[in-house]
């Protein structure tokens, strides 16, 4: 299913040329780069303007914006004029990248040498003078084939940035008791361009009641649910009520997106929810996430944003899981751990909010913990509606963007695997292996007071997320450190 609610990135590429170099050199190299971008299926267009002065910088910016570009690359086909180049990077209304042309062969060295290695140094100095956040890849000088691949990687980075800066986070209800860890200082979200619309649980209940009038809409959604579950629902009578809730959320989304381009939810899901709505919302959360609209549990605003950023980075649905429990030895005995030490394993769990496409197997069940709390362990009624099973094995990225208690943005990123191991437990759950996770958990997740929720993507997206959060101005970005490299404050005698 194609994900809605996510930007399509169109990259504008502009060539720059210092006036003492022939502009034709940049034009020739830009043409070769655009040919490679087309071969690699990168959605990009070239400006007809070669920037040599500030007027041309503004003209190129206007041209690419008019062409629908929402990200841009300044390509130094030769040394390049640093002031006009960085003026373009400053004025373009979207994430930007800078890169430069390598010399093709010894024949060009006699007369057509571009000296872009030198020019990129001057450009970077001027980027600093203008206090710009510009993506410069690890190896920013290259031939067209290499640079086209790097621009393709930039497209994923840009998709995250464009998505977040056009995002509205809908929150329903205060956090549950004893979940202060999912703190939500909203100023840092506004600082990166997102907006927040906080609402009461009563507002959600009103929307739910209004949706009851759309009988045809409810019937269509319930039929789609039955199709998705493939017979994995023993309570078909519950589906219309769940469908009514999905309809209510989508109605609210469409009515309240306003000036924002994209939206996510962070909703109160217990304990009052069940008695008033008559079900748990997990399956609906999973379905919306599968369409591209993450719904975070327990009013976790930053959890919703983290899921969305993972979605933009991978192009796949993401999920929000508790970094939940250790893995007993008898669960993993004789299993393939993909080279991850047992101490670096854990289980990612949530009640049932992961979409079916990200599950190895799944069916609708009831929330066991809530059933004990709300229904005394009796036959489930109001605690029905989870989507449970083992998470799909394969590559994974664990990611969190968080506003700390003192209002600063912090983040962590780690790559690993969902292992093909039966978790032997309830909920939407999987065994996760991340090399060096045990120390990372202690010195970053605990040491920097991150909450228990982590965003999980079903592909490796560390590169794109790392660069995207830097472009968004996040300075504290944490990743696992290998044995022998200590975290700040780590006891060297441990």
């Amino acid at each position: 299913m194609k994900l809605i609610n996510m930007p399509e990135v169109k990259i504008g590429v502009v060539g720059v040329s210092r006036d003492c170099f022939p502009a034709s050199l940049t034009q020739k190299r830009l043409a070769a780069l655009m040919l490679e971008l087309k071969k690699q299926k990168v959605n990009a267009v070239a400006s007809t303007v070669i920037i040599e002065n500030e007027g041309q910088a503004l003209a190129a910016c206007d041209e690419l914006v008019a062409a629908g570009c929402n990200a841009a690359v300044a390509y130094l086909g030769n040394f390049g004029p640093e002031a006009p180049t960085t003026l373009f990077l400053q004025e373009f209304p979207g994430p930007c990248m800078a890169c430069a042309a390598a010399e093709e062969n010894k024949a060009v060295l006699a007369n057509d040498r571009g000296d872009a290695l030198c020019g990129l140094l001057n450009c970077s100095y001027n980027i600093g003078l203008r206090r710009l956040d510009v993506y410069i890849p690890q190896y920013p000088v290259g031939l067209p084939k290499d640079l086209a691949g790097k621009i393709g990687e930039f497209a994923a980075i840009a998709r995250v940035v464009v998505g977040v800066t056009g995002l509205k986070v809908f929150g329903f209800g205060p956090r549950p008791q004893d979940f202060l860890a999912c703190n939500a200082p909203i100023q840092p979200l506004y600082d990166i361009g997102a907006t927040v619309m906080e609402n009461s649980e009563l507002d959600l209940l009103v929307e739910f009641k209004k949706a009851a009038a759309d009988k045809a809409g409810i019937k269509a959604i319930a039929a789609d649910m039955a199709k998705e579950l493939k017979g994995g629902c023993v309570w078909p009578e519950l589906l219309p009520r769940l469908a009514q809730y999905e309809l209510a959320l989508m109605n609210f989304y469409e009515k309240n997106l306003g000036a924002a381009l994209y939206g996510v939810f962070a909703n109160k899901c217990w304990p009052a929810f069940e008695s008033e709505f008559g079900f748990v919302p997990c399956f609906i959360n999973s379905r919306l996430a599968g369409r591209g609209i993450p719904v975070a549990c327990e009013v976790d605003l930053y959890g919703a944003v983290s899921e969305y950023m993972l979605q933009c980075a991978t192009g796949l649905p993401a999920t929000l899981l508790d970094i939940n429990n250790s893995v007993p030895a008898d669960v993993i005995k004789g299993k393939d751990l993909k080279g991850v030490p047992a101490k670096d394993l854990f289980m990612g769990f949530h009640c049932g909010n992961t979409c079916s496409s990200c599950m190895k197997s799944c069916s609708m069940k009831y929330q066991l913990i809530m059933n004990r709390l709300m229904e005394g362990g009796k036959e489930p009624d109001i605690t029905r509606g989870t989507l449970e099973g083992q998470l799909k094995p394969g590559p994974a990225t664990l990611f969190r963007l968080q506003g700390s208690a003192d209002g600063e943005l912090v983040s962590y990123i780690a790559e690993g695997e969902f292992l093909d191991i039966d978790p032997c437990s309830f909920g939407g759950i999987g065994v996760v292996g991340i090399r060096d996770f045990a120390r990372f958990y202690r010195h970053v997740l605990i040491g920097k007071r991150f909450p228990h929720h982590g965003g999980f993507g079903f592909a490796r997206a560390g590169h794109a997320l790392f660069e995207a959060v830097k472009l968004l101005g996040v300075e504290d970005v944490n990743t696992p450190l290998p044995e022998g490299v200590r975290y700040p404050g780590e006891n060297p005698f441990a």
Side-chain angles (χ1 to χ4, degrees):
M1 178 185 293
K2 182 177 171 62
L3 295 174
I4 63 171
N5 191 48
M6 193 165 68
E8 294 283 344
V9 171
K10 185 176 185 180
I11 298 174
V13 184
V14 62
V16 303
S17 175
R18 198 173 190 87
D19 56 8
C20 56
F21 287 77
S24 59
L25 181 59
T26 289
Q27 289 171 328
K28 180 178 69 173
R29 288 173 166 175
L30 177 61
L33 176 61
M34 297 310 297
L35 185 61
E36 279 294 337
L37 287 168
K38 185 176 182 180
K39 287 181 183 177
Q40 296 187 28
K41 296 182 169 56
V42 178
N43 185 15
V45 297
S47 172
T48 61
V49 178
I50 298 296
I51 296 175
E52 295 181 283
N53 57 52
E54 293 187 354
Q56 290 168 328
L58 297 177
C61 183
D62 290 343
E63 179 189 23
L64 293 177
V65 169
C69 296
N70 53 6
V73 174
Y75 174 58
L76 280 67
N78 59 43
F79 193 110
E82 55 263 32
T85 301
T86 53
L87 177 64
F88 170 83
L89 295 171
Q90 177 178 278
E91 294 300 314
F92 187 83
C96 292
M97 168 180 167
C99 60
E103 315 298 355
E104 294 86 351
N105 50 54
K106 67 181 181 181
V108 305
L109 298 179
N111 191 53
D112 285 337
R113 200 183 67 206
D115 298 357
L117 199 74
C118 188
L120 193 57
L121 288 170
N122 283 20
C123 181
S124 68
Y125 181 79
N126 275 259
I127 287 170
L129 287 177
R130 295 183 189 270
R131 300 186 186 278
L132 304 178
D133 290 314
V134 174
Y135 172 59
I136 300 176
Q138 184 84 359
Y139 302 103
V141 180
L143 297 172
K145 183 177 180 180
D146 298 323
L147 291 182
K150 291 174 174 58
I151 293 171
E153 292 173 348
F154 173 61
I157 298 165
R159 192 163 57 236
V160 176
V161 175
V162 172
V164 169
T165 54
L167 187 66
K168 180 178 283 188
V169 187
F170 300 112
F172 279 104
R175 290 176 297 281
Q177 175 67 15
D178 293 331
F179 276 76
L180 294 176
C182 291
N183 63 76
I186 64 173
Q187 181 64 57
L189 290 174
Y190 279 84
D191 289 342
I192 60 174
T195 57
V196 178
M197 179 180 178
E198 296 186 281
N199 309 275
S200 162
E201 288 175 278
L202 288 175
D203 294 318
L204 189 53
L205 186 59
V206 167
E207 288 292 333
F208 178 69
K209 291 179 176 178
K210 285 181 183 176
D214 187 353
K215 304 297 184 185
I218 291 170
K219 184 177 179 180
I221 294 172
D224 189 60
M225 288 176 174
K227 182 180 178 182
E228 179 181 351
L229 291 168
K230 300 174 183 175
C233 178
V234 296
W235 308 296
E237 75 281 0
L238 181 63
L239 296 185
R241 287 159 64 188
L242 293 171
Q244 182 179 335
Y245 180 66
E246 180 174 318
L247 184 61
L249 282 178
M250 289 307 301
N251 286 345
F252 186 90
Y253 172 91
E254 290 163 5
K255 286 188 295 186
N256 291 280
L257 199 57
L261 298 173
Y262 318 104
V264 295
F265 288 95
N267 295 349
K268 183 83 170 280
C269 50
W270 67 277
F273 184 98
E274 285 68 31
S275 63
E276 299 308 307
F277 288 82
F279 50 83
V280 294
C282 309
F283 180 46
I284 306 309
N285 295 357
S286 80
R287 280 174 54 83
L288 265 62
R291 295 172 60 190
I293 306 175
V295 185
C297 316
E298 297 157 340
V299 204
D300 184 359
L301 303 180
Y302 285 92
V305 174
S306 300
E307 280 186 85
Y308 184 72
M309 292 173 72
L310 278 159
Q311 172 187 305
C312 288
T314 63
L316 300 167
T319 192
L320 190 71
L321 303 174
D322 290 351
I323 298 164
N324 199 65
N325 58 280
S326 59
V327 184
D330 57 352
V331 170
I332 59 175
K333 185 177 180 180
K335 305 296 184 182
D336 181 8
L337 305 185
K338 300 292 185 180
V340 180
K343 65 182 175 61
D344 292 326
L345 303 180
F346 65 96
M347 289 194 191
F349 155 89
H350 232 285
C351 308
N353 61 331
T354 304
C355 73
S356 57
S357 67
C358 298
M359 306 285 281
K360 181 179 180 180
S361 60
C362 58
S363 60
M364 181 177 287
K365 296 187 179 179
Y366 67 96
Q367 218 294 325
L368 177 64
I369 298 172
M370 291 186 190
N371 178 257
R372 288 198 301 254
L373 174 69
M374 300 172 185
E375 299 182 292
K378 298 177 183 177
E379 186 72 18
D381 178 18
I382 62 173
T383 56
R384 298 178 295 169
T386 58
L387 188 69
E388 303 196 21
Q390 181 184 335
L391 300 176
K392 182 173 65 177
T397 301
L398 169 61
F399 170 72
R400 176 107 193 164
L401 180 73
Q402 179 68 20
S404 66
D406 55 1
E408 297 294 327
L409 279 172
V410 295
S411 182
Y412 65 71
I413 309 166
E415 292 183 336
E417 299 276 340
F418 286 112
L419 300 176
D420 194 4
I421 296 173
D422 182 358
C424 305
S425 193
F426 59 92
I429 188 167
V431 178
V432 183
I434 296 175
R435 190 175 292 276
D436 300 305
F437 179 78
R439 291 173 56 247
F440 184 65
Y441 172 77
R442 169 60 187 87
H443 295 287
V444 173
L445 275 66
I446 290 176
K448 295 199 171 185
R449 297 177 176 83
F450 280 96
H452 63 295
H453 286 167
F456 286 81
F458 292 83
R460 291 193 173 87
H463 176 266
L465 289 166
F466 187 87
E467 299 296 345
V469 293
K470 287 199 302 180
L471 286 180
L472 290 167
V474 182
E475 296 180 356
D476 189 353
V477 186
N478 299 271
T479 60
L481 298 179
E483 293 286 350
V485 181
R486 290 198 298 270
Y487 291 96
E490 183 177 3
N491 189 335
F493 303 103

